[in-house]
């Protein structure tokens, strides 16, 4: 095993780092590292999800009223955008495995465009909330004329929102904001991978970074898959 | 045979006889600043954490000096609040958490695995600089109005205090990510970079301990990160999750905080235990008794640690039923802890025990950790905790585990591995003198505090009743003795760097894998890739040459590799195919 070592490094490209014996070891290590990082990410978000659970139980009517102010159509559209981007990210990995450089680039570009689209939509959603005074905590000052009635069947104007609705908006902005930061970071690493692909750094033998970044992107997608129903639908 | 290095022809020309060690490989300062080598990063962490230890230690001495007499001694109450907060925050986040894993772990984990480096060397460098960034934020906080919340940042006080909570919270947030990245790196390293033949049942117990620690670092630290982020958001945006005036719940913050900070106690103690395993095996010349139980007890502690956070909140207004469950679960922690202590004692029994300075620290660890652990049971008992909560009893318990355990284990490891890391021997006589000061000083300081606490002296108080003065005074004198001990030790280590004798590869005659390479190790750790044929504590399988504690050229002729063959025959090699590899090759090269 030891004797095969130095020769194998000559056989493979400069991408095989000196402390690995062979490509498969490097690939598996990178993948394990990414999975561990994703486990960390899940726990990072967990605090906010727990806060959501605790305060939804404590103030159900506030959450119902707050949730009704979010636009399900726009949220649903963004969900679709992210699902498409996850699909193209997976396709980029497949193309990389087959060594089809141009298809990798194309799929990455679509992923990046979707990510941007998500953020643009989010920007318009946020600014609408800001304009209507639907802000977290102390800053919460809803313009009652713009508030949607959340009571089943009722249509008339609303005069007052439930007492702790500001907590809902605090959680809404923190959860979607933290997720948005993850999307922005995702755009950064996707562009980095795209640039490396254009430089021809990947091949049938070496496509680990594409796979790793795609894994991260799927997590970003997955977090939204939970956020959307929790915040918009229920 | 431990690490027969089956160097082939091409390799031996590349890594020839005269290969320089990792310190002399490149001596320019830049090569240290941007190094990807795990050994150099270990040294960088060692220097940083020891510096932080000194800073935190100075704060500790200031606290004890203020408490020499009731009322004002040297500082006003507000300063006192800041000083004890900084002592806690610096010692926990900047010293203890990175001390063993990031400093000693970085250096020895890859070597013990027979690897050339950790799984992700660049990530490793990045975690170091994230640590430095966190330290800078902490300094900014200290120089801008400091912080007086205690290291726990409890709400609502942390929301209302005018001190620099924001920069300190950010500091801890950043330091958390350094810890997470190190944990990810070490877990991947242990899973994927073990040398051929090094299966899980042969892993050194140091590796098991660091691995269990890494699991907690990866799974608990992000919860602290989000908690601190939520605290910041609360402060900046007044969201209302912790502030009762806005509908929040301060106890929720405590739940979040302790969900990290109890497991964090195991981030701190498991590495100390991990070091002690290695020392006890080496200085007893025996395999650790119940190896698999000891290894699994680390994993069990890591997992149990996630289920007991509520014992910090028995008097915070949790439901009675929750406190009962947390109390019961807390007692379970005693099982894996007991497994370790009993197995160490069983290892000593019938061992060939010698008492060099690392072993003195390991034995002190057993004694002090046992006291710290048993007093933990007092605090885990609901009715007793009501009496002892927030008294010096808690302070004493915590310091028996964290200083008597982790710091003593860390220092023991520092003595044990110093020759390997630096290539220099320190003065054994001075090391023993320092040990006596540290052991006596520590017990004077903290044994006293058990008494103070049980008599009702509350923790964190600036002032106290006159009748507590003798005990407080005694405790403060103990702290000075402890400070003298640490200073002697530090001076001894620095002196040895310049004037110490050259260290042989294996000064303690250990069978551990890390001793098979030169002192200090070469850049790639081993010539070629080591092939492992026995466990790290299999003294009955190790050859005389492997256990030789002098320089290779002084090896007696009878123990030369050729003569070592019969010894190998006596104990059949588990993997005959690999045993047939030309084992003595590397040793002949060295001669
Ligand atoms: Cu605890």
């Amino acid at each position: 095993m030891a004797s095969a070592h130095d020769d194998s490094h000559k056989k493979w490209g400069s991408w095989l780092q000196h402390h690995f014996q062979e490509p498969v070891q490097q690939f598996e290590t990178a993948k394990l590292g990414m999975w561990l990082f994703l486990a960390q990410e899940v726990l990072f978000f967990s605090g906010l999800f727990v806060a959501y659970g605790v305060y939804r139980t404590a103030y159900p009517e506030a959450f119902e009223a707050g949730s009704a102010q979010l636009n399900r159509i726009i949220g649903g559209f963004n969900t679709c955008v992210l699902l498409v981007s996850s699909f193209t990210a997976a396709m980029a990995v497949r193309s990389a495995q087959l060594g089809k450089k141009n298809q990798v680039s194309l799929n990455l570009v679509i992923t990046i465009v979707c990510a941007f689209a998500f953020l643009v939509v989010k920007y318009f959603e946020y600014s609408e909330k800001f304009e209507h005074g639907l802000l977290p905590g102390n800053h919460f000052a809803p313009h009652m004329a713009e508030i949607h009635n959340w009571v089943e069947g009722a249509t008339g104007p609303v005069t007052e929102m439930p007492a702790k609705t500001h907590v809902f908006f605090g959680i809404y902005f923190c959860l979607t904001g933290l997720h948005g930061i993850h999307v922005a970071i995702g755009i950064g690493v996707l562009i980095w991978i795209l640039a490396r692909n254009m430089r021809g750094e990947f091949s049938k033998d070496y496509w680990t970074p594409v796979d790793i970044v795609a894994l991260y992107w799927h997590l970003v997608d997955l977090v939204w898959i939970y956020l959307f129903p929790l915040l918009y639908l229920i | 045979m431990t690490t027969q290095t089956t160097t082939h022809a091409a390799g031996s020309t590349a890594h020839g006889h005269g290969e320089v060690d990792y310190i002399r490989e490149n001596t320019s300062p830049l090569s240290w600043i941007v190094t990807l080598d795990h050994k150099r990063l270990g040294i960088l962490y060692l220097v940083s954490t020891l510096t932080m230890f000194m800073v935190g230690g100075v704060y500790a001495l200031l606290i004890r000096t203020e408490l020499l007499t009731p009322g004002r001694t040297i500082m006003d109450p507000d300063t006192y609040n800041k000083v004890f907060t900084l002592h806690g925050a610096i010692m926990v986040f900047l010293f203890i958490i990175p001390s063993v894993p990031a400093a000693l772990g970085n250096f020895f984990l890859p070597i013990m695995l027979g690897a050339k480096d950790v799984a992700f060397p660049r990530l490793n460098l990045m975690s170091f600089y994230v640590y430095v960034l966190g330290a800078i934020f902490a300094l900014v906080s200290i120089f801008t109005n400091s912080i007086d919340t205690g290291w726990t940042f409890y709400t609502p006080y942390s929301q209302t205090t005018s001190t620099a909570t924001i920069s300190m919270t950010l500091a801890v947030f950043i330091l958390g990510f350094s810890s997470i990245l190190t944990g990810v790196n070490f877990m991947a390293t242990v899973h994927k970079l073990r040398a051929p033949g090094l299966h899980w049942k042969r892993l050194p117990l140091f590796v098991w301990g660091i691995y269990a620690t890494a699991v907690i670092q990866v799974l608990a630290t992000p919860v602290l990160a989000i908690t601190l982020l939520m605290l910041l958001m609360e402060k900046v945006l007044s969201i209302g999750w912790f502030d009762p005036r806005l509908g929040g719940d301060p106890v929720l913050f405590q739940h979040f905080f302790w969900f990290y900070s109890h497991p964090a106690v195991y981030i701190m103690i498991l590495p100390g235990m991990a070091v002690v395993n290695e020392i006890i095996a080496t200085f007893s010349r025996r395999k650790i008794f119940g190896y698999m139980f000891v290894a699994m007890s680390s994993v069990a502690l890591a997992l149990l640690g996630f289920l007991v956070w509520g014992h910090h909140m028995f008097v915070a207004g949790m439901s009675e039923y929750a406190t009962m469950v947390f109390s019961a679960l807390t007692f379970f922690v005693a099982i894996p802890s007991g497994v370790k202590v009993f197995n160490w004692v069983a290892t000593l029994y019938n061992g060939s025990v010698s008492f060099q300075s690392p072993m003195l620290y390991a034995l002190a660890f057993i004694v002090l950790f046992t006291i710290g652990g048993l007093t933990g049971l007092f605090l885990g008992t609901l009715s007793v905790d009501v009496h002892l909560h927030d008294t010096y009893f808690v302070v004493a318990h915590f310091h028996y585990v964290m200083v008597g355990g982790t710091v003593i284990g860390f220092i023991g490891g520092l003595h044990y591995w110093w020759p390997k890391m630096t290539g220099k021997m320190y003065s054994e006589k001075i090391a023993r003198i320092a040990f006596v000061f540290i052991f006596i000083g520590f017990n004077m300081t903290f044994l006293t505090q058990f008494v103070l606490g049980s008599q009702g002296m509350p923790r964190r108080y600036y002032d106290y009743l006159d009748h507590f003065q003798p005990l407080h005074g005694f405790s403060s004198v103990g702290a000075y003795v402890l400070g003298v001990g640490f200073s002697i030790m530090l001076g001894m280590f620095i002196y040895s760097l310049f004037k110490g004798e050259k260290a042989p590869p294996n000064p303690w005659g250990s069978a551990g894998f890390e001793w098979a390479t030169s002192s200090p190790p070469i850049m790639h750790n081993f010539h070629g890739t080591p092939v492992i044929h026995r466990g790290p504590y299999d003294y009955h399988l190790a050859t005389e040459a492997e256990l030789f504690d002098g320089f290779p050229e002084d090896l007696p002729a009878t123990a030369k590799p050729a003569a070592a063959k019969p010894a190998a025959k006596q104990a059949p090699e588990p993997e005959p195919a690999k045993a047939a590899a030309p084992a003595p090759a590397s040793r002949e090269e060295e001669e």
Side-chain angles (χ1 to χ4, degrees):
Chain A
M1 216 170 286
S3 50
H5 169 207
D6 280 359
D7 299 338
S8 67
H9 268 258
K10 266 171 225 144
K11 193 163 80 202
W12 304 109
S14 60
W15 44 263
L16 183 61
Q17 290 177 285
H18 81 287
H19 57 295
F20 292 110
Q21 307 266 346
E22 49 193 13
V24 66
Q25 187 192 18
Q26 174 168 319
F27 170 72
E28 285 179 358
T29 311
K31 198 131 179 173
L32 177 67
M34 194 62 203
W35 276 109
L36 291 169
F37 183 77
L38 296 186
Q40 179 277 135
E41 285 282 15
V42 169
L43 281 144
F44 186 53
F45 275 96
S46 73
L48 290 171
F49 280 105
V50 170
Y52 173 91
V54 167
Y55 291 111
R56 186 179 182 93
T57 320
Y59 311 123
E61 59 301 320
F63 273 65
E64 200 189 334
S67 178
Q69 310 311 315
L70 304 179
N71 190 327
R72 291 178 179 188
I73 309 287
I74 294 181
F77 172 76
N78 253 353
T79 310
C80 295
V81 166
L82 276 191
L83 283 173
V84 169
S85 76
S86 235
F87 175 74
T88 52
M91 287 307 291
V93 177
R94 185 64 193 144
S95 312
Q97 288 169 343
L98 299 173
K100 295 178 178 167
K101 184 183 153 193
N102 291 337
Q103 285 192 25
V104 177
S105 293
L106 177 67
N107 279 305
L108 286 175
V109 167
I110 299 175
T111 313
I112 294 166
V113 168
C114 285
F116 267 114
F118 178 89
L119 286 185
V120 169
V121 171
K122 209 75 213 142
Y123 167 77
F124 285 113
E125 260 193 295
Y126 271 17
S127 32
E128 192 211 345
K129 296 290 166 294
F130 290 164
E131 277 165 25
H132 294 174
L134 296 172
L135 293 161
N138 271 348
H139 312 274
F140 184 70
H143 305 174
M144 294 317 295
E146 317 279 359
I147 297 302
H148 305 282
N149 198 327
W150 60 90
V151 183
E152 200 85 31
T155 46
V158 194
T159 50
E160 205 182 7
M161 296 202 81
K164 308 294 181 199
T165 311
H166 61 263
V167 177
F168 173 84
F169 281 99
I171 290 173
Y172 165 78
F173 278 110
C174 284
L175 264 175
T176 53
L178 192 63
H179 177 258
I181 291 170
H182 278 79
V183 174
I185 293 171
I187 291 175
V189 286
L190 283 166
I191 290 176
W192 173 60
I193 289 299
L194 177 64
R196 287 182 68 179
N197 183 58
M198 309 260 254
R199 284 203 299 267
E201 286 186 28
F202 304 129
S203 64
K204 257 187 203 162
D205 292 326
Y206 180 62
W207 37 269
T208 312
V210 186
D211 200 11
I212 299 299
V213 168
L215 262 182
Y216 170 81
W217 190 251
H218 294 321
L219 181 93
V220 173
D221 187 20
L222 192 67
V223 171
W224 181 258
I225 296 296
Y226 282 90
L227 287 188
F228 175 58
L230 287 179
L231 294 170
Y232 290 74
L233 299 183
I234 59 171
Chain B
M1 301 264 80
T2 325
T3 45
Q4 298 166 333
T5 50
T6 51
T7 335
H8 66 112
S12 50
T13 43
H15 314 292
H17 171 76
E19 192 171 350
V20 287
D21 59 64
Y22 79 101
I23 300 171
R24 286 167 195 84
E25 172 102 2
N26 186 342
T27 50
S28 75
L30 184 72
S31 73
W32 277 86
I33 293 170
V34 296
T35 184
L36 296 179
D37 179 46
H38 68 99
K39 297 182 286 301
R40 287 186 160 202
L41 281 165
I43 297 293
L44 289 177
Y45 269 115
L46 188 64
V47 173
S48 336
T49 51
L50 283 177
T51 310
M52 289 303 149
F53 183 52
M54 282 195 284
V55 176
V58 168
Y59 281 120
L61 291 177
L62 288 175
I63 296 172
R64 285 318 315 170
T65 305
E66 171 53 41
L67 293 172
L68 263 177
T69 60
R72 185 191 164 99
T73 310
I74 52 165
M75 60 181 92
D76 57 66
D78 285 333
T79 314
Y80 176 79
N81 288 345
K82 291 173 183 173
V83 167
F84 82 68
T85 301
L86 291 174
H87 165 69
I90 289 175
M91 284 300 202
V92 168
F93 296 113
L94 284 158
F95 167 61
I96 301 189
I97 289 179
S99 63
V100 179
L104 299 178
N106 245 320
F107 200 105
F108 288 101
L109 187 83
I111 300 183
M112 285 181 167
L113 296 175
K116 283 183 180 169
D117 210 319
V118 292
F120 312 114
R122 270 174 299 185
L123 190 70
N124 205 12
L125 179 67
M126 186 176 138
S127 355
F128 176 71
Y129 280 105
V130 173
Y131 170 84
V132 171
L133 185 69
I136 290 172
F137 268 81
L139 282 178
V140 167
S141 176
I142 291 172
F143 289 117
T144 57
N145 208 13
S146 195
I147 174 166
D148 64 353
T149 59
W151 73 280
T152 52
F153 309 112
Y154 268 15
T155 55
Y157 184 65
S158 60
Q159 299 295 319
T160 53
T161 174
S162 61
T163 54
T165 36
I166 292 184
S167 52
M168 195 50 127
T169 324
L170 277 173
V172 175
F173 179 82
I174 294 166
L175 290 169
F177 278 98
S178 169
S179 181
I180 293 170
L181 296 179
T182 304
V184 167
N185 215 336
F186 286 0
M187 279 182 82
T189 309
V190 175
H191 273 280
K192 296 294 176 192
L193 291 183
R194 302 192 310 277
L198 186 57
H199 48 69
W200 289 89
K201 285 184 182 170
R202 280 179 182 167
L203 276 189
L205 286 164
F206 180 74
V207 174
W208 271 110
I210 295 292
Y211 179 81
T213 308
V215 173
I216 316 175
Q217 283 177 302
V218 172
L219 296 182
T221 318
V223 178
L224 175 75
I226 194 67
T227 307
L228 295 174
L229 207 58
M230 289 168 80
L231 197 68
L232 272 178
M233 289 296 113
E234 182 82 336
K235 187 137 183 154
V236 178
L237 299 173
S238 311
I239 286 173
W241 31 40
F242 300 139
D243 186 348
R245 287 169 303 182
L246 290 164
D249 183 0
V251 178
L252 183 67
F253 174 80
Q254 297 187 20
H255 277 292
F256 279 153
F257 183 82
W258 290 111
F259 184 84
Y260 163 74
S261 290
H262 185 83
V265 177
Y266 297 107
I267 295 181
M268 302 182 228
I269 189 69
L270 282 173
M273 295 166 158
V275 172
V276 167
N277 287 315
E278 298 299 322
I279 300 177
I280 288 189
T282 293
F283 293 97
S284 306
R285 294 290 182 281
R286 253 195 96 184
K287 185 171 177 151
I288 289 283
F289 187 84
Y291 166 89
M292 231 21 218
F293 276 92
V294 176
M296 283 304 131
S297 66
S298 296
V299 179
L301 277 175
L303 300 179
L304 267 178
F306 282 97
L307 306 175
V308 300
W309 77 89
H311 62 216
H312 295 269
M313 304 158 57
F314 286 158
V315 298
M318 264 195 312
S319 102
E320 271 174 41
Y321 300 103
T323 57
M324 281 186 233
V325 171
F326 278 124
S327 175
L329 285 169
T330 300
F331 289 128
F332 276 104
V333 173
I335 298 171
S337 309
V339 165
K340 282 191 190 290
V341 170
F342 284 116
N343 280 304
W344 290 329
V345 176
T347 308
L348 297 174
Y349 181 72
N350 268 354
S352 165
V353 181
S354 55
F355 295 96
Q356 277 105 321
S357 45
M359 186 59 161
L360 294 178
Y361 283 102
L363 295 175
F365 179 101
I366 299 179
V367 174
L368 301 178
F369 172 74
T370 303
I371 297 176
L374 290 175
T375 50
L377 296 177
F378 293 44
L379 296 167
T381 311
L382 290 172
S383 52
V384 184
D385 184 65
V386 174
H387 177 67
L388 295 175
H389 188 88
D390 262 343
T391 68
Y392 266 77
F393 194 93
V394 179
V395 179
H397 157 70
F398 184 74
H399 283 83
Y400 261 85
V401 181
M402 290 295 110
V403 184
T406 311
V407 176
I408 293 288
F410 171 60
I411 290 174
L414 202 55
H415 282 78
Y416 179 57
W417 282 311
W418 186 262
K420 179 60 64 188
M421 289 192 287
T422 63
K424 294 289 168 67
M425 296 304 288
Y426 51 83
S427 157
E428 176 67 20
K429 199 169 117 197
I430 297 176
R432 288 177 191 209
I433 294 172
F435 170 79
V436 171
F437 272 93
I438 290 173
F439 188 77
I440 293 176
F442 172 80
N443 282 297
M444 278 174 75
T445 314
F446 294 107
L447 211 53
T448 322
Q449 296 185 2
F450 281 123
V451 183
L452 271 173
S454 61
Q455 291 180 357
M457 173 70 211
R459 65 192 287 201
R460 292 180 171 163
Y461 274 33
Y462 170 74
D463 199 1
Y464 53 83
L465 298 173
D466 286 338
H467 71 262
F468 287 130
Q469 201 282 324
L471 287 174
H472 265 304
F474 191 74
S475 178
S476 293
V477 173
Y480 300 142
V481 176
L482 189 56
V484 169
F486 281 128
S487 307
I488 297 174
M489 185 199 82
L490 194 69
M492 172 197 82
F493 277 137
I494 293 173
Y495 182 82
S496 88
L497 278 183
F498 297 101
K499 293 281 168 69
E501 278 175 43
K502 198 174 170 332
N506 189 5
W508 316 120
S510 169
F513 302 146
E514 74 274 29
W515 302 103
T517 178
S518 54
S519 298
I522 54 169
M523 206 65 180
H524 284 165
N525 299 340
F526 296 99
H527 300 279
T529 302
V531 179
I532 309 295
H533 293 290
R534 61 160 172 81
Y537 314 115
D538 289 339
Y539 283 85
H540 59 295
L541 297 178
T543 61
E544 203 178 327
E546 282 175 334
L547 298 178
F548 183 60
D549 61 4
F551 291 93
E553 51 269 28
D554 302 329
L555 192 64
T558 49
K560 288 265 155 77
K565 286 253 165 77
K569 263 182 209 151
Q570 267 178 0
E573 298 283 352
E575 279 160 283
K578 276 172 190 159
S586 66
R587 242 177 254 108
E588 277 162 6
E589 261 171 44
E590 280 161 24
E591 281 156 24

